[in-house]
Amino acid sequence: MGKWDRDGRRASLSKMKVTLSALDTFESSFTPLVVIELAQDVKEETKEWLKNRIIAKKKDGGAQLLFRPLLNKYEKETLENQNLYLVGASRLRLLLGAEAVGLVKECNDNTMRAFTYGTRHNFRGFDDDNDDFLTMAECQFIIKHELENLRARDEKMIPGYPQAKLYPGKSLLRRLLTSGIIIQVFPLHDNEALKKLEDSWYTRFTLKYQPVDSIRGYFGETIALYFGFLEYFTFALIPMAVIGLPYYMFVWEDYDKYVIFASFNLIWSTVILEVWKRGCANMTYRWGTLVMKRQFEEPRPGFHGVLGINSVTGREEPLYPSYKRQLRIYLVSLPFVCLCLYFSLYVMMIYFDMEAWALELHEDSGSEWTSVLLYVPSIIYAIVIEIMNRLYRYAAEFLTSWENHRLESAYQNHLVLKVLVFNFLNCFASLFYIAFVLRDMKLLRQSLATLLITSQILNQVVESLLPYWLQRKHHAQVKRKVQALKADVDATLYEQVVLEKEMGTYLGTFDDYLELFLQFGYVSLFSCVYPLAAAFAVLNNFTEVNSDALKMCRVFKRPFSEPSASIGVWQLAFETMSVISVVTNCALIGMSPQVNALFPESKVDLILIVVAAEHALLALKFILAFAIADKPRHIQIKLARLEFESLEALKQQQMKLVAENLKEELREGEKEKAA
């Protein structure tokens, strides 16, 4: 009997030898792209209602997608019962979805235009028999867009769950997630394409450019732009590192000689940010996102309000008064942020008490272990800073979501602003205090080096190495479990989904950009005190490229693709940091003993000269920013040509309407005469 059970189970499981690529052979209209995991105890009427809403036609309030369980009824009896469902779409539905979300593709005449189904044959690479016109990442983005825009109509609650209230306009996906009915929604990896990407990206440790276009094709523009910026920033740091090394080795205490180094730093920080904008425009034009129209962006899934008509677009969507949002921001969010900033300063003063205690202990004993103890307060403070930054991030996300912003871009801007203000103060307040209150340059160098190196090591371990180690252990456990059930079967769709659903969720590029932003601050703010910072940043970033690539491919679930035309508000954040660095470096040079010795009698002259130098450098910085165009000339011409053609097409359409109206009037006149 036992042998029959094993053989029967093996026979039934052998039917599941279906990979992503082979599934199309059996069901040509259904390629699984997205997985929805429901809670184990979800009621059947809820499942049926969700299925009907997903497959219903758009005119009936549905998403018009394909939907089926991962396991059929018989397979559920032989395998662990998983409430896992696959979502896909027909080729026609995906093409219509590409038009709806405004995807931009290259035309046969080498221009970039918004895709429309009616003119599909004008686009390069399109063929009625070609399924590769849309990348898998673009298809998954379209499905995510359709699922997120499933909104309640006349339902008062989720069927089977009276406590899960609904009202017209509420995002169904958001409500199902917050109610715990849906555990998660994630896109599937394409194992074959992923293996090719890894081979060209990080598995071979050679000095080469990253395959940014391939990253974009697999993960989307947002991820590709981050890795493009990381690579660009790393190479841009090399001149600073090379110049900083001799300053560190030979002229440590001659602060007046750092004037040249600090001036180069300030010009460097301006030029690299402006040149990045040009390179970014080149990339995003080639990808089509620079041309995408975002002014009529649809509401984010978390946005809620009374269902109404948007006065600009005429579309039905939730409406929420802006004054309520402003009240939440100024009466709740702002006081909370100020309270957190005060707490951060309080922790900083505890750190200085620890520094004073360690210094006093060292001066009393003078032993070797007390000299090592001098670095302990800085290390502890660096760890505390990382913990506080992460805790504050959760609070900031909750507050920003509660503020109920309509657009995803507005939500991101408010979140970034909250987090940047706190992180800037939390990470740099102690350095400013040491530099301008204590005026202890030796302690400043020690603290800056300790904070920079400790934060880099912690980020590498927490973000990549630890999750990768945990993921490898879990992967091995799942592999053994599945192979015990089907010893003669290779990796299947079932196994892939079970493995991927247990992976961690990638929360976006926010933390990655934040890490680079803080690193830029350590390098630029106090460059004349610790010129070795750039060298440490370069060493860290060369490993960061590979660890982040490993994290994206093997540690986390595949994130949904998201179109982006730039690095967004982070560009402004980096530019603001470079402006602040002008002030700090000029002030530090002005405070140096060598410069002070030149003005032994009057400090007023020194202050005036420092302020004049600072204004001159700022003026030079803004002149450079103005002189270097944000977009290359050929990109500007192409964008202007597209704008002109759009206006001409609009004029022709209006003339056609006028002509049709005149014809109609003539017909009516002839009828009246005939009568």
Side-chain angles (χ1 to χ4, degrees), residues 343-506:
F343 180 72
S344 174
L345 292 174
Y346 181 76
V347 172
M348 181 191 76
M349 298 313 297
I350 294 174
Y351 156 66
F352 284 117
D353 290 340
M354 291 171 60
E355 282 281 3
W357 170 79
L359 183 62
E360 184 180 352
L361 190 66
H362 177 64
E363 288 175 349
D364 290 343
S365 64
S367 62
E368 290 185 6
W369 76 271
T370 55
S371 63
V372 175
L373 190 66
L374 289 174
Y375 290 91
V376 172
S378 295
I379 294 172
I380 293 173
Y381 185 51
I383 295 171
V384 170
I385 283 175
E386 290 297 321
I387 294 171
M388 288 171 62
N389 286 345
R390 293 178 188 279
L391 290 175
Y392 176 81
R393 167 75 186 276
Y394 293 123
E397 285 178 344
F398 173 80
L399 273 179
T400 312
S401 180
W402 178 71
E403 289 165 7
N404 196 26
H405 296 279
R406 177 182 175 271
L407 301 180
E408 183 65 28
S409 55
Y411 170 83
Q412 290 296 334
N413 289 343
H414 280 80
L415 176 61
V416 169
L417 181 62
K418 287 185 184 71
V419 175
L420 280 187
V421 168
F422 180 81
N423 277 261
F424 182 85
L425 187 76
N426 202 28
C427 294
F428 299 118
S430 61
L431 300 178
F432 279 99
Y433 187 82
I434 294 169
F436 301 113
V437 178
L438 300 181
R439 298 192 175 189
D440 187 340
M441 296 302 128
K442 186 177 179 181
L443 179 60
L444 179 61
R445 285 195 297 272
Q446 174 191 312
S447 298
L448 195 152
T450 307
L451 287 173
L452 174 64
I453 296 168
T454 306
S455 64
Q456 288 179 346
I457 293 172
L458 283 175
N459 281 322
Q460 293 277 10
V461 172
V462 173
E463 287 185 5
S464 300
L465 299 180
L466 181 61
Y468 179 67
W469 178 73
L470 293 173
Q471 181 60 32
R472 284 290 296 271
K473 285 188 67 177
H474 176 74
H475 189 112
Q477 291 172 359
V478 173
K479 199 89 172 173
R480 285 194 298 269
K481 186 176 180 181
V482 174
Q483 292 300 328
L485 290 170
K486 46 181 181 136
D488 60 337
V489 179
D490 293 329
T492 63
L493 182 61
Y494 168 74
E495 181 180 339
Q496 179 186 351
V497 173
V498 171
L499 285 171
E500 289 185 26
K501 83 181 185 68
E502 298 298 334
M503 287 180 170
T505 301
Y506 182 65

Side-chain angles (χ1 to χ4, degrees), residues 51 78 81 112 171 191 226 272 289 293 363 369 497 514 535 539 553 568 596 635 638 672:
K51 175 187 173 182
T78 59
N81 186 5
M112 305 298 295
S171 169
N191 289 327
Y226 163 69
I272 66 162
T289 51
K293 301 295 182 184
E363 288 175 349
W369 76 271
V497 173
L514 182 61
L539 292 174
C553 294
N596 272 266
I635 298 292
K638 288 177 180 177
E672 288 177 3

Side-chain angles (χ1 to χ4, degrees), residues 589-632:
I589 291 172
M591 287 166 51
S592 68
Q594 289 82 2
V595 175
N596 272 266
L598 299 175
F599 302 90
E601 296 180 359
S602 174
K603 299 301 178 187
V604 175
D605 293 341
L606 172 61
I607 293 171
L608 289 174
I609 289 173
V610 169
V611 171
E614 173 208 317
H615 280 61
L617 286 169
L618 282 174
L620 176 62
K621 182 179 180 61
F622 290 124
I623 289 170
L624 283 171
F626 178 77
I628 302 172
D630 291 353
K631 298 180 183 70

Side-chain angles (χ1 to χ4, degrees), residues 3-17 74-75 78 485-489:
K3 184 178 185 302
W4 187 91
D5 283 343
R6 286 194 299 272
D7 292 341
R9 177 176 295 181
R10 188 171 297 169
S12 66
L13 285 166
S14 65
K15 298 176 184 178
M16 292 187 58
K17 286 187 178 181
Y74 181 70
E75 290 165 341
T78 59
L485 290 170
K486 46 181 181 136
D488 60 337
V489 179

